[in-house]
Coordinates of all heavy atoms in Angstrom, one line a residue:
G1 N -22.4 -23.5 -1.8 CA -23.0 -23.6 -0.5 C -21.9 -23.6 0.7 O -22.3 -23.7 1.8
D2 N -20.6 -23.6 0.3 CA -19.6 -23.5 1.4 C -19.5 -22.2 2.0 O -19.7 -21.1 1.3 CB -18.2 -24.0 0.8 CG -18.2 -25.5 0.5 OD1 -18.9 -26.3 1.2 OD2 -17.6 -25.9 -0.6
V3 N -19.0 -22.1 3.2 CA -18.8 -20.8 3.9 C -17.3 -20.7 4.2 O -16.8 -21.5 5.0 CB -19.6 -20.7 5.2 CG1 -19.4 -19.4 5.9 CG2 -21.1 -20.9 4.9
L4 N -16.6 -19.8 3.6 CA -15.2 -19.7 3.6 C -14.7 -18.3 3.9 O -15.2 -17.3 3.4 CB -14.6 -20.2 2.3 CG -14.9 -21.6 1.8 CD1 -14.4 -21.7 0.3 CD2 -14.2 -22.6 2.7
P5 N -13.6 -18.2 4.6 CA -12.9 -16.9 4.8 C -12.1 -16.6 3.5 O -11.1 -17.3 3.3 CB -12.0 -17.0 6.0 CG -11.8 -18.5 6.2 CD -12.9 -19.2 5.5
L6 N -12.4 -15.6 2.8 CA -11.7 -15.3 1.6 C -10.5 -14.4 1.9 O -9.5 -14.4 1.2 CB -12.6 -14.5 0.6 CG -12.1 -14.5 -0.9 CD1 -12.1 -16.0 -1.4 CD2 -13.0 -13.7 -1.8
D7 N -10.6 -13.7 3.0 CA -9.4 -12.9 3.5 C -9.4 -13.1 5.0 O -10.4 -13.4 5.6 CB -9.6 -11.4 3.2 CG -8.3 -10.6 3.3 OD1 -7.3 -11.2 3.7 OD2 -8.4 -9.3 3.1
A8 N -8.2 -12.8 5.6 CA -8.1 -13.0 7.1 C -7.1 -12.1 7.6 O -6.0 -12.0 7.1 CB -7.7 -14.5 7.4
K9 N -7.5 -11.3 8.6 CA -6.6 -10.4 9.3 C -6.6 -10.8 10.8 O -7.7 -11.0 11.4 CB -7.1 -9.0 9.2 CG -6.4 -7.9 10.0 CD -7.0 -6.6 10.0 CE -6.3 -5.6 10.9 NZ -7.0 -4.2 10.8
M10 N -5.4 -10.9 11.4 CA -5.3 -11.2 12.8 C -4.3 -10.3 13.5 O -3.2 -10.1 13.0 CB -4.9 -12.7 13.0 CG -5.9 -13.7 12.5 SD -5.4 -15.4 12.9 CE -5.7 -15.5 14.6
N11 N -4.7 -9.7 14.6 CA -3.8 -9.0 15.5 C -3.7 -9.7 16.8 O -4.7 -10.3 17.2 CB -4.3 -7.5 15.7 CG -4.3 -6.7 14.5 OD1 -3.9 -7.2 13.4 ND2 -4.7 -5.4 14.6
F12 N -2.6 -9.5 17.5 CA -2.4 -10.2 18.7 C -1.9 -9.3 19.8 O -1.3 -8.2 19.6 CB -1.3 -11.3 18.6 CG -1.7 -12.3 17.5 CD1 -1.3 -12.1 16.2 CD2 -2.4 -13.5 17.8 CE1 -1.7 -13.0 15.2 CE2 -2.8 -14.4 16.8 CZ -2.4 -14.2 15.5
D13 N -2.2 -9.7 21.1 CA -1.8 -8.9 22.2 C -0.3 -9.0 22.4 O 0.3 -10.1 22.7 CB -2.5 -9.5 23.5 CG -2.2 -8.7 24.7 OD1 -1.4 -7.8 24.7 OD2 -2.9 -9.0 25.8
D14 N 0.4 -7.9 22.3 CA 1.9 -7.9 22.4 C 2.3 -8.4 23.8 O 3.4 -9.0 23.9 CB 2.4 -6.5 22.2 CG 2.4 -6.0 20.8 OD1 2.7 -6.9 19.9 OD2 2.1 -4.8 20.5
N15 N 1.5 -8.2 24.8 CA 1.9 -8.6 26.2 C 1.8 -10.1 26.4 O 2.3 -10.6 27.4 CB 0.9 -7.9 27.2 CG 1.0 -6.4 27.2 OD1 2.2 -5.9 27.2 ND2 -0.1 -5.7 27.1
A16 N 1.2 -10.8 25.4 CA 1.1 -12.3 25.5 C 2.1 -13.0 24.7 O 2.2 -14.2 24.7 CB -0.3 -12.7 25.1
M17 N 3.0 -12.3 24.0 CA 4.0 -12.9 23.1 C 5.0 -13.8 23.8 O 5.5 -14.7 23.2 CB 4.7 -11.9 22.2 CG 3.8 -11.2 21.1 SD 3.1 -12.4 20.0 CE 1.4 -12.6 20.6
F18 N 5.2 -13.6 25.1 CA 6.1 -14.4 25.8 C 5.6 -15.9 25.9 O 6.4 -16.8 26.0 CB 6.3 -13.9 27.3 CG 5.1 -14.1 28.2 CD1 5.0 -15.3 29.0 CD2 4.0 -13.2 28.2 CE1 3.9 -15.5 29.8 CE2 2.9 -13.5 29.0 CZ 2.9 -14.6 29.8
R19 N 4.3 -16.1 25.7 CA 3.8 -17.5 25.7 C 3.2 -17.9 24.4 O 2.6 -18.9 24.3 CB 2.7 -17.6 26.8 CG 1.4 -16.8 26.5 CD 0.5 -16.9 27.7 NE -0.8 -16.3 27.5 CZ -1.7 -16.0 28.4 NH1 -1.5 -16.5 29.6 NH2 -2.8 -15.4 28.1
Q20 N 3.4 -17.1 23.3 CA 2.9 -17.4 22.0 C 4.1 -17.4 21.0 O 4.2 -16.6 20.1 CB 1.9 -16.3 21.6 CG 0.6 -16.3 22.4 CD -0.2 -17.6 22.3 OE1 0.1 -18.4 21.4 NE2 -1.2 -17.7 23.1
K21 N 5.0 -18.4 21.2 CA 6.2 -18.5 20.4 C 5.9 -18.7 18.9 O 6.5 -18.2 18.0 CB 7.1 -19.6 20.9 CG 7.6 -19.4 22.3 CD 8.3 -18.0 22.5 CE 8.7 -17.8 24.0 NZ 9.2 -16.5 24.3
E22 N 4.8 -19.5 18.7 CA 4.4 -19.8 17.3 C 4.0 -18.5 16.6 O 4.3 -18.3 15.4 CB 3.2 -20.7 17.3 CG 2.6 -21.1 15.9 CD 1.4 -21.9 16.0 OE1 0.8 -22.0 17.1 OE2 0.9 -22.3 14.9
V23 N 3.3 -17.6 17.3 CA 2.9 -16.3 16.7 C 4.1 -15.4 16.6 O 4.3 -14.7 15.6 CB 1.8 -15.7 17.5 CG1 1.4 -14.3 17.0 CG2 0.5 -16.6 17.6
E24 N 4.9 -15.3 17.6 CA 6.1 -14.4 17.6 C 7.0 -14.6 16.5 O 7.5 -13.7 15.9 CB 6.8 -14.6 19.0 CG 8.1 -13.7 19.1 CD 7.8 -12.2 19.2 OE1 6.7 -11.8 19.6 OE2 8.7 -11.5 18.8
E25 N 7.1 -15.9 16.1 CA 8.0 -16.3 14.9 C 7.5 -15.7 13.6 O 8.2 -15.7 12.6 CB 8.2 -17.8 14.9 CG 9.0 -18.3 16.0 CD 9.0 -19.9 16.0 OE1 8.3 -20.5 15.2 OE2 9.7 -20.4 16.9
L26 N 6.2 -15.3 13.6 CA 5.6 -14.8 12.3 C 5.8 -13.3 12.2 O 5.4 -12.7 11.1 CB 4.1 -15.1 12.3 CG 3.7 -16.6 12.4 CD1 2.2 -16.7 12.4 CD2 4.3 -17.4 11.2
R27 N 6.4 -12.7 13.1 CA 6.7 -11.2 13.0 C 7.5 -10.8 11.8 O 8.5 -11.5 11.5 CB 7.4 -10.7 14.3 CG 7.5 -9.2 14.3 CD 8.4 -8.7 15.6 NE 7.7 -9.0 16.8 CZ 6.7 -8.3 17.4 NH1 6.4 -7.1 16.8 NH2 6.2 -8.6 18.5
D28 N 7.0 -9.9 11.1 CA 7.7 -9.4 9.9 C 8.2 -8.0 10.2 O 7.4 -7.0 10.1 CB 6.8 -9.4 8.7 CG 7.5 -8.9 7.4 OD1 8.7 -8.6 7.5 OD2 6.8 -8.9 6.3
V29 N 9.5 -7.9 10.6 CA 10.0 -6.5 11.0 C 10.1 -5.6 9.8 O 10.1 -4.4 10.0 CB 11.4 -6.7 11.7 CG1 11.2 -7.5 13.0 CG2 12.4 -7.4 10.7
T30 N 10.1 -6.1 8.6 CA 10.2 -5.2 7.4 C 8.9 -4.4 7.3 O 8.9 -3.4 6.6 CB 10.5 -5.9 6.1 OG1 9.4 -6.8 5.8 CG2 11.7 -6.7 6.2
E31 N 7.8 -4.8 7.9 CA 6.5 -4.1 7.8 C 6.4 -3.1 8.9 O 5.4 -2.4 9.0 CB 5.4 -5.2 7.9 CG 5.2 -6.0 6.7 CD 4.8 -5.3 5.4 OE1 3.8 -4.5 5.6 OE2 5.3 -5.5 4.3
E32 N 7.3 -3.1 9.9 CA 7.2 -2.2 11.0 C 8.0 -0.9 10.8 O 9.0 -1.0 10.1 CB 7.7 -2.9 12.3 CG 6.9 -4.1 12.7 CD 7.4 -4.9 13.9 OE1 8.3 -4.3 14.5 OE2 6.9 -6.0 14.2
D33 N 7.5 0.2 11.3 CA 8.2 1.4 11.2 C 9.5 1.2 12.0 O 9.5 0.8 13.2 CB 7.4 2.5 11.9 CG 8.1 3.9 11.8 OD1 8.9 4.1 12.6 OD2 7.7 4.7 10.9
P34 N 10.7 1.6 11.4 CA 12.0 1.4 12.1 C 12.0 2.0 13.5 O 12.6 1.5 14.5 CB 13.0 2.0 11.2 CG 12.4 1.9 9.8 CD 10.9 2.1 10.1
A35 N 11.5 3.3 13.6 CA 11.5 3.9 14.9 C 10.6 3.2 15.9 O 10.9 3.1 17.1 CB 11.0 5.4 14.7
E36 N 9.5 2.7 15.5 CA 8.6 2.0 16.4 C 9.2 0.7 16.8 O 9.0 0.3 18.0 CB 7.2 1.7 15.7 CG 6.4 3.0 15.5 CD 5.1 2.8 14.8 OE1 4.6 1.6 14.8 OE2 4.5 3.8 14.3
K37 N 9.9 0.0 15.9 CA 10.6 -1.2 16.3 C 11.7 -0.9 17.3 O 11.9 -1.6 18.3 CB 11.2 -1.9 15.1 CG 11.9 -3.2 15.4 CD 12.6 -3.8 14.2 CE 13.3 -5.1 14.5 NZ 14.4 -4.9 15.5
R38 N 12.4 0.2 17.1 CA 13.5 0.6 18.0 C 13.0 0.9 19.3 O 13.5 0.5 20.4 CB 14.2 1.8 17.4 CG 15.4 2.3 18.1 CD 16.0 3.5 17.3 NE 16.9 4.3 18.0 CZ 17.4 5.5 17.6 NH1 17.0 5.9 16.4 NH2 18.2 6.2 18.4
A39 N 11.8 1.6 19.4 CA 11.2 1.9 20.6 C 10.7 0.6 21.4 O 10.9 0.5 22.6 CB 9.9 2.8 20.4
K40 N 10.2 -0.3 20.6 CA 9.7 -1.6 21.3 C 10.9 -2.3 21.9 O 10.8 -2.9 23.0 CB 9.1 -2.4 20.2 CG 8.3 -3.6 20.8 CD 7.6 -4.4 19.6 CE 6.5 -3.6 19.0 NZ 5.7 -4.3 18.0
D41 N 12.1 -2.3 21.2 CA 13.3 -2.9 21.7 C 13.8 -2.3 23.0 O 14.4 -3.0 23.8 CB 14.4 -2.9 20.7 CG 14.1 -3.7 19.4 OD1 13.3 -4.6 19.5 OD2 14.7 -3.4 18.4
H42 N 13.4 -1.1 23.3 CA 13.8 -0.4 24.5 C 12.6 -0.2 25.5 O 12.7 0.6 26.4 CB 14.4 1.0 24.2 CG 15.7 1.0 23.5 ND1 15.9 0.8 22.1 CD2 17.0 1.0 24.0 CE1 17.2 0.7 21.9 NE2 17.9 0.9 23.0
E43 N 11.6 -1.0 25.2 CA 10.4 -1.0 26.1 C 9.7 0.4 26.2 O 9.3 0.8 27.3 CB 10.8 -1.5 27.5 CG 11.3 -3.0 27.5 CD 11.6 -3.5 28.8 OE1 11.2 -2.9 29.8 OE2 12.4 -4.5 28.9

């Protein structure tokens, strides 16, 4: 009779990462496309 999340997916607003340090620290750059990461670094 318990109600539980068996899986969980979360996406976050990139524009809010300046105030979400806890979330920003969870970024896994190995999962990101290298070109997309490079683009993000150059805004």
Side-chain angles (χ1 to χ4, degrees):
D2 290 324
V3 181
L4 299 169
L6 202 61
D7 195 1
K9 171 186 176 181
M10 295 184 76
N11 291 3
F12 302 89
D13 183 353
D14 285 325
N15 296 313
M17 287 302 100
F18 73 94
R19 66 184 185 191
Q20 296 294 349
K21 301 304 179 187
E22 178 187 10
V23 175
E24 177 67 26
E25 288 172 0
L26 300 177
R27 184 184 295 276
D28 181 2
V29 295
T30 64
E31 291 289 317
E32 298 177 10
D33 182 280
E36 292 181 17
K37 181 182 180 300
R38 183 175 163 191
K40 191 176 294 181
D41 292 341
H42 289 84
E43 298 180 17

